[in-house]
Amino acid sequence: MTGYIAPLRLRLDGDALLSNWRWLARQGGAPACGAAIKADGYGLGAAGVMQRLKGTGCRDFFVSNWGEAAALEAQMDGVNFAVLHGVRDEDMAQALTSRARPVLCTPGQVARWKAAGGGTCDLMIDTGMNRLGLDWRADLSELVDGLEIVTLLSHLASADEDSDLNPTQLARFGDVRAAVPAQRYSLANSAGICMGADYGFDLTRPGIALYGGVPHPDAAPHLRPVMQPQAQILQRRSVIAGDTIGYNATHRAERDLEIAILNIGYADGYLRGFSGRGAALVDGIRLPVLGRVSMDLLAVDVGARPDVAEGDWLTIDYDLPQAAQASGLSQYELLTGLGKRFDRIWA
């Protein structure tokens, strides 16, 4: 709808995004630092994220599938762009003409790419996550013969924990590196970057940390939040003591209350885990969520702010580590679940 202004928005801080990337690039121990921009830039808008990161020197981008790649094809000049889920039969026509490369993940994908004369590719090796990738224990020499591998990748399963699996995966990746020739090698995600230069190899691939998520306590002082959800007040109303608020009457007012009804709910990614736990913010004052989060609406206690009124905007308290603890959701879910009804506004 031309000219439509949504009643909810994401305030996006471009300076914070670039600051986060630069810090991750310095910490990673690798010559290059890329960016995972899958899931529409972790919910922030992949095109805007990519544009800004290209401007600060990022030259490696990763998405999940070819639909995500197609939406960004016009921005691929001068960068390496990889599709992490490889290439299905259904993807081949696009993959053979795209500037993006597939990250081949299975013997079937390798055979398909070779048969099509597909040219350069990346290769995923599974070193212990048991998700996508060729088995690190396999003799890969015959399988990869004839491939033009730009980047050989693996993915850390438990880099955000002090786990024995981390050095195990590192050692396994080292073995594969010695056996499979590629132009460069990549292992570390956001949390892996925080584990030191041994995990850096030639290219790091941060995701959540770019967007202000904290993958490891050591990173917390250095990462800035990039996104702030805000919602407009649709109505301010009085609730008398003894009345209830919202579905199933889960909150009963112990005293007279002033509440604001906000235009945000679980259809927008502000999920029911915030019921009775979340808050909105005005000038640092916390306005608690009362009752259940519903599909499109939210009630907050505005008794501390007699000045807020219908049409005003409130910021949702969405500090990622704290919101994850309050809601029981991961920082990844909190970001990627934000819906399409938000206007996304870069500053």
Side-chain angles (χ1 to χ4, degrees), residues 35-210:
I37 57 172
K38 58 187 181 175
D40 197 23
Y42 282 54
L44 274 62
V49 170
M50 185 175 177
Q51 175 189 354
R52 284 160 178 80
L53 290 177
K54 279 180 65 176
T56 201
C58 183
R59 289 296 177 266
D60 294 274
F61 296 91
F62 298 86
V63 296
S64 291
N65 60 56
W66 290 94
E68 292 183 333
L72 298 167
E73 187 77 37
Q75 294 181 232
M76 292 183 193
D77 287 336
V79 302
N80 292 295
F81 200 99
V83 178
L84 291 165
H85 294 183
V87 59
R88 307 168 301 160
D89 280 330
E90 297 92 333
D91 301 320
M92 284 301 297
Q94 179 187 344
L96 290 171
T97 59
S98 174
R99 286 173 287 184
R101 292 191 306 271
V103 181
L104 303 178
C105 301
T106 71
Q109 290 185 2
V110 172
R112 186 176 300 128
W113 193 245
K114 284 184 178 181
T120 59
C121 63
D122 293 349
L123 193 70
M124 176 66 74
I125 305 295
D126 179 72
T127 55
M129 194 168 194
N130 285 303
R131 204 170 60 170
L132 289 178
L134 302 170
D135 194 321
W136 71 277
R137 296 166 294 188
D139 181 357
L140 299 172
S141 56
E142 183 176 348
L143 185 66
V144 304
D145 184 45
L147 287 181
E148 299 177 63
I149 304 172
V150 176
T151 308
L152 187 143
L153 307 85
S154 190
H155 195 71
L156 294 165
S158 301
D160 57 350
E161 301 175 325
D162 183 12
S163 168
D164 291 341
L165 185 55
N166 296 319
T168 297
Q169 285 193 264
L170 177 62
R172 291 172 177 175
F173 190 67
D175 291 343
V176 175
R177 181 191 185 198
V180 180
Q183 294 180 26
R184 58 188 188 169
Y185 299 85
S186 177
L187 178 62
N189 54 6
S190 290
I193 288 171
C194 300
M195 293 168 59
D198 287 348
Y199 289 81
F201 292 90
D202 303 304
L203 168 68
T204 56
R205 313 187 311 271
I208 189 73
L210 289 172

